[in-house]
Amino acid sequence: MLSARGTAASHRHQELTWDVMASPYCSKLNATGFVNLGIAENSLMQRELLEHISQNFHPEPTALSYGEGPNGSKRLRSALARFINTFFSPATPILPGHISVSSGVTGSLERCAFELGDPGDAFLLGRPYYGAFPAEVGDRAKVRIIPVTFGKGCDPMGLAAVSAYESAILAARSRSQRVRAILLCSPHNPLGRCYPREVLVSLMRLCQRYRLHLLVDEVYALSVFANPRDSSRAAAAACGFTSALAIDTEGVIDPALVHVLWGLSKDFGCNGLRIGCVVSPGNPALVAALDAHAPYRYPAAFLDYAACLVLEDEEWVAAFVAENRRRLAENYAVVASFLEENAVPFHEGTNAGLFVWANLGAVWLRRRRKGVGSGQNGSTSNENGASRSGDDDLNVVDLEQLRAYSDINLEINERLIEEKVYLIDGDECGSESPGYFRIVFAQPMYILATGLERIAKALEL
């Protein structure tokens, strides 16, 4: 017999994600496989990364051992510190002792949940959010996620959103719920934008007021690009990446409350190279606690060595990042054109990450309405209903109908799966508006084009 938690786990449904990963599309070998535009994986620069590693890969026998321990080698922590000092512009130089290494950012976040919260405590998480966050802090650490709702017209990444976080804190306290941290993803997943500096400062002040930790996942830090298609209004609203480490905490927040997570998986297109870290320059007790539990997220010495080869060559990294940004912008333009041509509403201002946040539900309902073609108005809107162009009234009608149609995401998902294209459902991401899906565009162009063709077929565009 199993334990109660083992029994519960055994009754979980097999995730569709694993079926998709087991049968990837290949035009020659598996033409009926899934085109995966759902999992946040960057495949645009993998050949370049493999070439660089293979040319420099000359490991010692220690790479096949336990290495220097479960917290990564001294060489890796030094390489990470230099890398962060170069590319994150920290207000205070990062030292190797400020860093705790683990097997990926997922492991780093789970360990932070263990060290910052007790079972039943809560982290605040703004909507929409990366759908795996609740499980990463909740499955084993038993820390709850309290989703923060912003409402129509409020930018989840703007200054006005800070008051929504404060309201959530006060509401939790009225229920005797202990909130321990605010969890952010910057650049944001799935909105594909960076938090402005002034918003980060305002959130830091809020955390200081209530003695909360600010935990910032910056795994897309270098995947920021110049948006080639947005209007001047949207482009002006977009901002470059500012790390939480780059903000001088003097007079703003106790530095012991600020922690950043980063790993190689997204910026270097290597989800399988499981190296992540927590950077906490102001809280040596947290780093010590993370190190104490490090054996449960032990990074492989073999991958530790490979990560050093990548991070230590700063000239190569700078060239790699520049080309990755160019390719991300190119692929984003393809998806944006497809969505605009088919009058699919999508979130404005995308300039970071690997994805577009698109309202397929609105265009699906519009397609089904008699007398209204999918391409007549050329209207798109952001998640809060702000129209980019075209007929505002049509979008209002669509949003009202979407809210009344609770199964719209399920219906679209079924059609997408029939056409063997995989997207992440907005319901999994706590979307405040129905109909949204996350479309990952960081795939080779022939795969991306095939995926868009299958989306068009599924929605009868």
Side-chain angles (χ1 to χ4, degrees):
M1 295 182 64
L2 302 181
S3 66
R5 58 190 172 193
T7 300
S10 71
H11 291 156
R12 286 185 183 177
H13 294 295
Q14 173 73 22
E15 289 190 31
L16 175 61
T17 301
W18 312 131
D19 294 331
V20 171
M21 293 172 64
S23 181
Y25 167 79
C26 175
S27 58
K28 295 180 179 179
L29 301 177
N30 191 18
T32 60
F34 280 98
V35 175
N36 186 354
L37 303 185
I39 296 174
E41 187 162 33
N42 184 354
S43 302
L44 298 178
M45 297 286 292
Q46 288 180 338
R47 289 187 180 276
E48 287 79 358
L49 180 65
L50 283 173
E51 184 176 297
H52 178 76
I53 292 175
S54 63
Q55 288 175 351
N56 297 281
F57 200 76
H58 308 293
E60 297 293 330
T62 53
L64 300 178
S65 72
Y66 281 123
E68 297 176 17
N71 187 34
S73 66
K74 293 178 183 177
R75 179 183 177 185
L76 176 58
R77 280 178 277 133
S78 294
L80 282 164
R82 288 195 300 272
F83 173 82
I84 292 168
N85 287 328
T86 300
F87 292 98
F88 288 56
S89 304
T92 301
I94 300 302
L95 304 176
H98 298 152
I99 299 171
S100 183
V101 179
S102 70
S103 57
V105 175
T106 293
S108 294
L109 177 57
E110 183 187 55
R111 291 198 301 148
C112 283
F114 266 100
E115 314 307 347
L116 299 179
D118 291 312
D121 288 346
F123 289 178
L124 298 185
L125 180 61
R127 303 170 65 189
Y129 48 75
Y130 169 49
F133 275 155
E136 289 175 2
V137 305
D139 267 5
R140 298 199 295 183
K142 303 304 179 186
V143 171
R144 290 186 54 208
I145 285 294
I146 297 179
V148 178
T149 299
F150 303 103
K152 183 177 179 180
C154 179
D155 180 0
M157 302 175 68
L159 281 171
V162 178
S163 62
Y165 282 101
E166 184 165 24
S167 295
I169 294 168
L170 296 174
R173 288 189 169 191
S174 71
R175 303 187 302 267
S176 299
Q177 172 72 64
R178 189 168 75 151
V179 177
R180 297 290 292 156
I182 292 177
L183 174 58
L184 302 181
C185 188
S186 183
H188 193 280
N189 176 2
L191 298 182
R193 289 164 45 210
C194 305
Y195 279 89
R197 176 183 288 266
E198 60 268 23
V199 176
L200 291 172
V201 170
S202 186
L203 286 167
M204 285 182 178
R205 293 188 187 280
L206 180 68
C207 287
Q208 176 67 18
R209 190 178 314 139
Y210 292 98
R211 298 301 296 172
L212 305 182
H213 295 272
L214 183 64
L215 192 57
V216 189
D217 180 349
E218 297 184 351
V219 74
Y220 297 99
L222 305 187
S223 300
V224 179
F225 54 89
N227 188 312
R229 294 188 56 84
D230 259 346
S231 65
S232 57
R233 177 168 64 87
C239 63
F241 170 68
T242 298
S243 172
L245 298 171
I247 296 172
D248 186 353
T249 58
E250 182 70 29
V252 177
I253 187 174
D254 181 349
L257 297 175
V258 180
H259 324 288
V260 163
L261 296 87
W262 184 81
L264 283 82
S265 58
K266 310 302 182 183
D267 288 335
F268 288 94
C270 53
N271 285 6
L273 204 166
R274 308 298 299 162
I275 297 290
C277 65
V278 179
V279 186
S280 186
N283 197 325
L286 173 61
V287 175
L290 291 167
D291 289 351
H293 287 148
Y296 303 108
R297 286 290 187 173
Y298 206 129
F302 209 71
L303 300 182
D304 180 313
Y305 174 74
C308 291
L309 297 181
V310 174
L311 297 173
E312 289 173 343
D313 192 337
E314 292 186 6
E315 183 177 349
W316 178 86
V317 168
F320 180 96
V321 168
E323 178 60 16
N324 184 51
R325 288 172 169 169
R326 187 193 70 78
R327 295 184 190 183
L328 287 172
E330 183 178 66
N331 278 36
Y332 166 78
V334 170
V335 175
S337 294
F338 167 83
L339 296 173
E340 288 177 349
E341 289 166 5
N342 290 285
V344 178
F346 64 101
H347 197 82
E348 292 190 56
T350 300
N351 71 330
L354 318 176
F355 23 71
V356 175
W357 189 235
N359 195 336
L360 302 185
V363 75
W364 177 236
L365 286 188
R366 189 184 307 147
R367 169 68 182 80
R368 289 162 52 126
R369 286 170 55 193
K370 293 182 179 180
V372 180
S374 61
Q376 288 184 359
N377 291 279
S379 176
T380 57
S381 66
N382 65 22
E383 184 176 28
N384 296 306
S387 176
R388 287 169 49 114
S389 61
D391 185 345
D392 288 358
D393 290 336
L394 178 60
N395 285 300
V396 172
V397 171
D398 283 340
L399 288 171
E400 289 175 351
Q401 290 192 25
L402 281 167
R403 290 190 177 99
Y405 191 19
S406 60
D407 292 333
I408 184 69
N409 285 43
L410 177 61
E411 182 175 329
I412 292 172
N413 253 324
E414 290 175 348
R415 297 186 66 85
L416 292 171
I417 297 306
E418 285 177 5
E419 297 302 330
K420 290 296 188 73
V421 58
Y422 178 61
L423 306 180
I424 292 296
D425 183 339
D427 287 347
E428 297 180 29
C429 303
S431 177
E432 292 185 43
S433 298
Y436 274 87
F437 286 77
R438 190 186 73 178
I439 304 175
V440 175
F441 54 77
Q443 295 287 345
M445 196 63 76
Y446 82 96
I447 293 179
L448 180 60
T450 302
L452 296 178
E453 289 173 6
R454 293 185 180 185
I455 292 172
K457 186 175 181 182
L459 298 179
E460 302 179 9
L461 301 178

